[in-house]
Amino acid sequence: MTSAPFASDPDLPEFSAILFERPFVRLTHDGPNRWLHVVWQGALSLEQVREGSEQVLALIREHRYTKLLNDNTRVTALNLTSEEQAGYQIMHLMFAAGLHYLAWVYAPVDEGRSYADSSVAAANWPLVLTFEEVESAVDWLRHSL
């Protein structure tokens, strides 16, 4: 399944600036909330997860983001083996770069949920929460000090 481009996305908040975009991921600066917003979409491979995550890390380092909204609600498949999921963990680098709060919205597919749970467990950081929907994640991030 090919992912539709993000370009005409009506869900992009009015005061967001696109910082990086590929057919499988869009990274935006959410101006009013001052956080990095990542939207993943489609069937993701390890290479795509790695490319998008490396861009997230680079932007955290460059812009000193302390909050990240990681939205996986548009993911249709996560084509990573269990070994690849366990072997590719980057959140510890994000926290070392200054990230303090990460709201991870689950993908609607089982393998996406599994990857989220294993990544959060491996992070060993208390300020990472998983959510079923974006609205709850946004609310938590807004109230995180």
Side-chain angles (χ1 to χ4, degrees), residues 46 49-50 78 80-92 111 114-123:
L46 176 61
V49 169
R50 184 170 285 153
L78 188 62
L80 278 72
T81 66
S82 298
E83 294 79 24
E84 289 172 332
Q85 288 182 30
Y88 186 68
Q89 298 296 328
I90 192 170
M91 285 199 314
H92 66 285
E111 62 270 19
S114 171
Y115 184 60
D117 290 341
S118 67
S119 294
V120 169

Side-chain angles (χ1 to χ4, degrees), residues 34-84:
R34 298 188 320 263
W35 63 52
L36 183 59
H37 184 185
V38 182
V39 178
W40 299 89
Q41 79 171 6
L44 302 175
S45 67
L46 176 61
E47 294 76 26
Q48 292 169 326
V49 169
R50 184 170 285 153
E51 180 182 357
S53 298
E54 293 292 332
Q55 285 297 319
V56 170
L57 177 59
L59 289 169
I60 290 170
R61 287 177 172 156
E62 180 181 347
H63 298 285
R64 308 300 300 161
Y65 285 109
T66 59
K67 295 181 180 185
L68 171 64
L69 175 58
N70 188 37
D71 180 354
N72 293 272
T73 57
R74 297 179 184 195
V75 172
T76 58
L78 188 62
N79 300 316
L80 278 72
T81 66
S82 298
E83 294 79 24
E84 289 172 332

Side-chain angles (χ1 to χ4, degrees), residues 35 60 64-68 91-103 125-129 140-141 144-145:
W35 63 52
I60 290 170
R64 308 300 300 161
Y65 285 109
T66 59
K67 295 181 180 185
L68 171 64
M91 285 199 314
H92 66 285
L93 297 174
M94 293 178 188
F95 294 122
L99 187 68
H100 292 207
Y101 303 96
L102 193 158
W125 188 262
L127 299 173
V128 178
L129 291 181
W140 178 73
L141 272 182
S144 299
L145 303 174

